[in-house]
Amino acid sequence: MRITRVRLREVTGTFHYRGEFWEQRLARPLDIYPEHRADPREWWLPEQDGPGPYRLRQIFLEIETDEGVHGLAGPLTRDVALVIGTQLRPRLLGTDPLAIERRWDVLYRSQVHGRKGAVMMAISAIDCALWDLRGRWDDAPVHRLLGGPVRTELPVYASTLGFSLELDRATALARQLKAEGFRAQKWFPRWGPADGREGLRRTLALFSALRDAVGEEVELMLDAWMSWDWAYALAAVRELAPLRLYWIEEPFLPDQLEAYAALRARSPIPIAGGEHEYTRWGFLPWLVRGAVDVIQPDIYWAGGISETLKIAVLASTHGIPMIPHGHSVPATVQLLAALPEPVAPWVEYLLKWNELLQFFFREPIQPENGVIHVPERPGMGVELDPAKIDEERELAWDN
Ligand SMILES: [Mg+2]
């Protein structure tokens, strides 16, 4: 079998949502600068013309072969699609799509400046498309190709990014998620060190209210999205300790590994991180240094199914669970169904992001009563739904 086409399909659809879709953004590292701190916008939102529905535009990768079988991945951001279209596509055409490990290694070795960031995200997407293709070719879900199923049902934690942090509304949602069966939920404070004591006070007030709302049996996590400094983090872990959080995520920028390790040594609350780290080589120092209690590679960013499996193996030798960041729920579900529970215990489900990221799928992968039933459909188990596509164009970027 040979790869005959590498298509980048840009599709546009209409996303109907009553009211304001994004209610609150999270704290960002840039918030140390007042002009950024004052900016309420979320950067990655779909276009909206006035008060009407959102125009959703997304790019999907489709790898076609001379045997008629294809592989799908996405949605992808434009910078990632550009890397595929200009730099990686020529290295795929004419090659064997089933030799996935070789494809990955050739792409990796061809991109010596691309070990992290958009290039590795592009390699990740190609890897996921190739696993999807192989699943369709074998008429088997990816988790079976990986030696699974180890599990047919995966517990899901709800991520509330984008929802209001006003105490009344946040606690109402927290109770609702508990009633829907989620056994864990993650929240994203809007405040950070630039807000001083007031930022910490509001964070404590939010998590105290959430703990009161859900009781002791629901796990609560806090995602700082790389926005804290040392003094703020140290005060936060001490003051939040009585609320028994399940973890604090990404307190620092990912290059501040020594700060992670130092905080973990002092924190009564487990520390999580790695959502913005890449590949087995990127994660090894996190493990060797003892920087975190939980590692969180994203399959669509850190190197795809092939590489995240290797990261999981590395983490398991250190006894550190891998709980992937949830950019692609379909890919995460396939990988985690092939791993034992202690190696990769939870699927992250970003409630609002998944409405966007799975919008164009015919059968989005969604939790029921706090778990995802692992789909048995071939490959990653998702297909684009033509009924949701208003317009489509092909991105060429031929060089
Ligand atoms: Mg996160």
Side-chain angles (χ1 to χ4, degrees), residues 186 188 223 225 249-250 275 325:
K186 189 164 83 188
F188 302 71
D223 192 336
W225 215 72
E249 176 168 330
E250 283 200 303
E275 168 184 334
H325 175 255

Side-chain angles (χ1 to χ4, degrees), residues 25-263:
R25 75 161 171 89
L26 42 56
R28 296 193 285 245
L30 266 174
D31 288 347
I32 62 166
Y33 299 104
E35 68 272 29
H36 290 284
R37 191 159 73 252
D39 181 357
R41 288 171 303 167
E42 183 54 78
W43 290 337
W44 307 280
L45 276 186
E47 300 160 40
Q48 190 181 24
D49 304 324
Y54 290 85
R55 295 283 286 162
L56 211 53
R57 181 173 293 133
Q58 295 180 356
I59 304 168
F60 290 87
L61 166 66
E62 218 167 271
I63 297 180
E64 296 182 355
T65 65
D66 57 1
E67 299 276 356
V69 67
H70 74 280
L72 176 74
L76 312 175
T77 53
R78 208 172 167 80
D79 56 339
V80 171
L82 181 66
V83 172
I84 296 174
T86 56
Q87 296 179 57
L88 305 183
R89 176 158 39 197
R91 298 202 179 272
L92 293 170
L93 293 171
T95 66
D96 177 359
L98 302 182
I100 301 176
E101 188 70 19
R102 180 165 171 140
R103 296 284 74 76
W104 196 99
D105 199 47
V106 166
L107 295 177
Y108 173 74
R109 287 170 186 274
S110 76
Q111 300 293 318
V112 293
H113 292 292
R115 296 152 40 244
K116 297 175 193 270
V119 174
M120 188 47 63
M121 293 158 91
I123 293 174
S124 305
I126 290 167
D127 182 84
C128 287
L130 292 175
W131 278 104
D132 183 54
L133 188 153
R134 184 165 162 194
R136 292 168 194 263
W137 178 246
D138 289 348
D139 195 25
V142 169
H143 68 265
R144 287 193 179 272
L145 305 178
L146 298 171
V150 180
R151 292 175 288 168
T152 56
E153 222 174 61
L154 301 166
V156 173
Y157 78 83
S159 275
T160 64
L161 181 57
F163 284 96
S164 171
L165 298 178
E166 288 170 27
L167 293 185
D168 288 354
R169 296 173 71 189
T171 50
L173 177 63
R175 281 190 214 97
Q176 180 193 325
L177 294 172
K178 180 183 178 184
E180 288 173 10
F182 290 104
R183 289 189 286 122
Q185 36 184 281
K186 189 164 83 188
W187 290 79
F188 302 71
R190 168 71 167 84
W191 322 283
D195 303 295
R197 269 308 305 175
E198 178 63 8
L200 203 50
R201 188 196 66 73
R202 294 187 74 175
T203 301
L204 279 166
L206 172 65
F207 279 85
S208 299
L210 292 170
R211 176 55 79 207
D212 285 346
V214 300
E216 283 297 319
E217 66 270 34
V218 170
E219 303 292 0
L220 288 173
M221 298 87 113
L222 183 158
D223 192 336
W225 215 72
M226 310 168 280
S227 300
W228 289 359
D229 60 25
W230 173 254
Y232 191 92
L234 200 57
V237 297
R238 284 176 181 156
E239 295 183 34
L240 287 162
L243 297 174
R244 205 190 49 75
L245 301 189
Y246 199 47
W247 73 61
I248 286 178
E249 176 168 330
E250 283 200 303
F252 309 119
L253 286 160
D255 289 326
Q256 296 173 338
L257 207 53
E258 293 304 319
Y260 275 87
L263 184 66

